[in-house]
Amino acid sequence: MRLEKPKLMATTPVTSTNGTDRLLLVTLRAQPGWLAVTVLAGLVSAGGQLLLPYAMGGALDAALAGGAGLAGGVALLGVVIVTVTAGDVLAQIAGTAGVAGTTAWIRRRVLANLLGLGLPGRNVYPPGDAVTRLTAGSALAGRVVPLVLSAVTTAATALAALVLLGLLDWTLPITLVAGLLVGVLLLRPFTRQATTAFEEYQTAQGDIASRLVDALGGLRTIRASGTADREVDRVLGPLPTLRDSGLRTWTLQRRLAWTFGLLIRVLQVAVLAAAGWAVSQGRLTPGELITAVGYSTIALQAVEQIDLFVELVQVRAGATRVRPLMHRPHTVAPEVRLPDGGGEIELRDVTVRLDDRVVLDDCDLHVPAGSTTAVVGRSGSGKSVLVGLLGRLVEPTAGEVLVDGCPVSAVADTDLRQAVAYAFERPVLVGETVGEAIGYGLPRAAARFDHTTVTTAARTALADRVVRRLPLAYDNPLRDTPMSGGERQRVGLARAVAARPRILVLDDATSSLDTATEVELQANLVRALPERTRVVVTHRARTAAHADQVAWLDDGRVRAVGTHAELWRDRAYRALFTGDEPGAAP
């Protein structure tokens, strides 16, 4: 059966600036409920703000006239004040909830894409950098809902205030518009320069985080080498860049703040002077003067919101960091069910390139169902990459990988995970307890696990004796369970056995076990998983000798396939286990 490999969905190329703006528009739709409430609250608040100067001016004119309209004017003023306050409070509540929901939505999507990238993703996004994108970058981008709405509301309210000023006297909006145009010209270079500075700042943060993660992973080596001081210097190496970008950002903000502060004061004086002149000419009443001052204050809010502009620049910088993980091309989810079979494996003309380096080159391999195949070769020959193809941990650049006649590229993830299980040389154990770590691959393993399946798998992997010594046995918290390398390998192997797959892949998964324990373990696997296909990456001659066939990898190619006894006649093959140079004299 030949099935076409899923094709990449067509996506529009995303440029830095336009793509970021597009991402911000997408996030506006992440929380439609809170978005609607925020919009409603903004409209109520904006409407109240526009009525407030009119109500204040009317109340003043009524007070000066001494007529019966004073009570009505004061009542209207009170209603408007309550309306503005209610709108502001509702906008604050809705905005906070919208930020939380949008940030969670962005983080879920970014994390899903990060995990979907698989092993090659570690080269593109090192762990520390990925963490800062997921946390800081997503948090900044998540603030887009209230910030964009606030900016739009402020601009719309300012425009309405200008129109109302024109209805009072035509000279007033002209005075303000001239100043607002100056403000726009000042903002354009600030936005461009500040966005670049924020991006450099966040990139430097990610670089420091990545170096710190590397250092924490090598604590024993650093301690043993006595290089702690040197490592501190290495981890904090990007600090000068962090400092320079931060200082540049603060300098830009300071320059913009005092410039806009001066501009606003000049405009306020200019509007007040123009309105006072209109009063002296009889075109405005004293109450309308108060109204004009109120509308000019509202119009100037578009200039006064320096902090809002700064936050929008930060949001754009954060969105730029997470954008590649939101809009990356993705494959159509495979939906083909894996046919029944015994775990036959076939690689046809498979080539894998990672980081522009050919790791596997035009490889062919056939593994009969129910057999045991040992994969051997020197370090860097491509053994782990080859076995990673079976469970789609690595995608081939060219060629085809089939399990029981079906291309694995077309098989649904759930089927493939049940069919192919892995045990690694340095397994990462996930779960709250040891039992959950073993049952991690079982359905709903995070909430509860099948005790019988878990304990049976642990006994098969010789992990039960380790677990029983713990204070709470299988319920012992994983974080409170120190393990040696061999114990961790046995627990990791138990996790793979619990899935009862048709293909069991052991990627150097017994390297920390002594020979006697490994022999006992292999016997247990044969009894517990009869007629299952096993693919074993190994450096031990004894393990290769007990396999039905051996696939010998050399520099990314399958150099030979045969039994261990047949290949042992080749001096280069023997050198894999004895350490002798194949060209050395006997």
Side-chain angles (χ1 to χ4, degrees):
M1 178 173 58
R2 288 263 186 179
L3 296 174
E4 290 188 2
K5 193 173 182 177
K7 299 179 180 179
L8 290 177
M9 293 181 64
T11 56
T12 304
V14 183
T15 61
S16 178
T17 303
N18 294 336
T20 298
D21 294 337
R22 205 171 296 132
L23 172 59
L24 299 185
L25 293 175
V26 169
T27 55
L28 277 171
R29 301 196 298 267
Q31 297 289 309
W34 285 116
L35 175 60
V37 175
T38 305
V39 171
L40 177 62
L43 291 175
V44 170
S45 179
Q49 289 181 38
L50 291 173
L51 284 174
L52 187 57
Y54 171 79
M56 292 175 63
L60 177 60
D61 283 340
L64 292 176
L70 178 59
V74 173
L76 176 61
L77 181 60
V79 170
V80 171
I81 291 174
V82 171
T83 301
V84 172
T85 304
D88 289 342
V89 171
L90 184 60
Q92 185 68 29
I93 295 173
T96 302
V99 167
T102 303
T103 301
W105 177 81
I106 293 174
R107 284 176 174 164
R108 180 178 293 275
R109 191 164 177 177
V110 168
L111 181 58
N113 285 346
L114 273 171
L115 297 178
L117 287 172
L119 298 178
R122 288 177 60 90
N123 298 325
V124 181
Y125 305 103
D129 179 67
V131 168
T132 58
R133 290 174 190 265
L134 181 65
T135 54
S138 297
L140 286 172
R143 289 156 52 192
V144 64
V145 175
L147 287 179
V148 169
L149 290 180
S150 179
V152 171
T153 303
T154 299
T157 307
L159 181 61
L162 284 174
V163 173
L164 293 174
L165 270 177
L167 295 178
L168 290 174
D169 190 90
W170 63 272
T171 62
L172 302 181
I174 293 177
T175 304
L176 276 181
V177 167
L180 292 175
L181 290 176
V182 173
V184 171
L185 293 176
L186 291 173
L187 271 178
R188 290 187 64 184
F190 166 79
T191 302
R192 182 179 61 255
Q193 296 170 19
T195 299
T196 301
F198 276 127
E199 289 178 14
E200 291 177 359
Y201 190 88
Q202 293 180 30
T203 300
Q205 281 184 320
D207 194 5
I208 291 174
S210 296
R211 297 181 184 206
L212 178 59
V213 169
D214 292 340
L216 293 176
L219 280 178
R220 289 194 301 176
T221 301
I222 294 170
R223 180 72 173 173
S225 303
T227 56
D229 292 340
R230 189 188 313 166
E231 195 63 21
V232 168
D233 292 338
R234 187 189 72 84
V235 171
L236 300 181
L239 270 183
T241 302
L242 193 72
R243 179 199 60 204
D244 292 343
S245 57
L247 286 175
R248 191 162 69 255
T249 301
W250 297 327
T251 300
L252 289 169
Q253 289 181 234
R254 181 187 63 207
R255 186 186 308 158
L256 189 69
W258 76 258
T259 305
F260 268 56
L262 179 60
L263 176 64
I264 289 169
R265 299 300 171 262
V266 170
L267 289 176
Q268 286 175 334
V269 171
V271 171
L272 186 59
W277 176 258
V279 171
S280 69
Q281 297 296 310
R283 298 199 306 270
L284 294 178
T285 66
E288 289 174 334
L289 172 63
I290 298 299
T291 302
V293 172
Y295 284 143
S296 66
T297 301
I298 293 174
L300 287 173
Q301 285 181 354
V303 183
E304 288 179 324
Q305 298 293 324
I306 302 300
D307 291 341
L308 176 61
F309 292 124
V310 172
E311 287 186 77
L312 283 172
V313 170
Q314 292 176 334
V315 165
R316 284 173 59 85
T320 300
R321 293 272 291 162
V322 301
R323 178 180 56 84
L325 291 165
M326 296 283 288
H327 293 280
R328 70 178 183 86
H330 57 282
T331 57
V332 178
E335 297 181 353
V336 175
R337 298 295 304 272
L338 190 65
D340 293 336
E344 180 185 22
I345 301 168
E346 189 172 0
L347 274 65
R348 297 176 179 171
D349 304 321
V350 171
T351 296
V352 176
R353 292 185 179 89
L354 298 176
D355 296 332
D356 297 325
R357 181 173 65 92
V358 178
V359 182
L360 292 179
D361 186 13
D362 198 24
C363 292
D364 292 289
L365 179 65
H366 178 254
V367 177
S371 66
T372 298
T373 296
V375 180
V376 303
R378 294 186 180 278
S379 296
S381 59
K383 302 184 296 297
S384 293
V385 172
L386 185 143
V387 298
L389 292 165
L390 309 182
R392 215 164 53 227
L393 305 184
V394 179
E395 296 284 353
T397 306
E400 199 170 36
V401 180
L402 300 96
V403 170
D404 289 320
C406 182
V408 297
S409 59
V411 179
D413 281 346
T414 51
D415 270 23
L416 194 59
R417 299 297 160 246
Q418 292 173 2
V420 183
Y422 285 85
F424 301 104
E425 178 183 7
R426 289 183 291 273
V428 175
L429 304 181
V430 182
E432 294 294 325
T433 66
V434 176
E436 287 184 5
I438 296 175
Y440 183 69
L442 301 177
R444 298 182 300 277
R448 57 188 302 179
F449 59 88
D450 185 336
H451 188 76
T452 301
T453 300
V454 166
T455 54
T456 300
R459 284 194 291 270
T460 299
L462 303 180
D464 183 69
R465 65 186 71 169
V466 175
V467 178
R468 297 291 182 186
R469 292 197 297 265
L470 299 173
L472 298 177
Y474 289 91
D475 293 325
N476 210 66
L478 190 60
R479 64 177 179 274
D480 298 331
T481 308
M483 298 183 194
S484 66
E487 291 170 343
R488 182 172 289 272
Q489 282 190 344
R490 278 180 273 178
V491 172
L493 183 56
R495 178 176 61 193
V497 172
R500 300 192 65 79
R502 69 176 76 175
I503 298 173
L504 179 63
V505 180
L506 307 183
D507 189 356
D508 222 4
T510 59
S511 59
S512 296
L513 304 181
D514 59 79
T515 303
T517 302
E518 184 182 10
V519 170
E520 183 182 359
L521 177 60
Q522 294 293 350
N524 283 358
L525 291 177
V526 172
R527 288 193 297 269
L529 299 174
E531 301 180 356
R532 297 300 205 281
T533 303
R534 287 184 293 280
V535 180
V536 184
V537 175
T538 184
H539 295 89
R540 293 179 174 176
R542 183 183 183 89
T543 304
H546 283 81
D548 297 310
Q549 67 175 11
V550 176
W552 176 14
L553 291 186
D554 185 21
D555 196 22
R557 289 179 172 271
V558 179
R559 178 166 174 173
V561 177
T563 65
H564 178 70
E566 292 169 346
L567 298 177
W568 191 258
R569 303 188 188 102
D570 191 316
R571 183 182 179 85
Y573 179 80
R574 294 198 304 272
L576 296 176
F577 306 100
T578 63
D580 296 333
E581 291 297 329

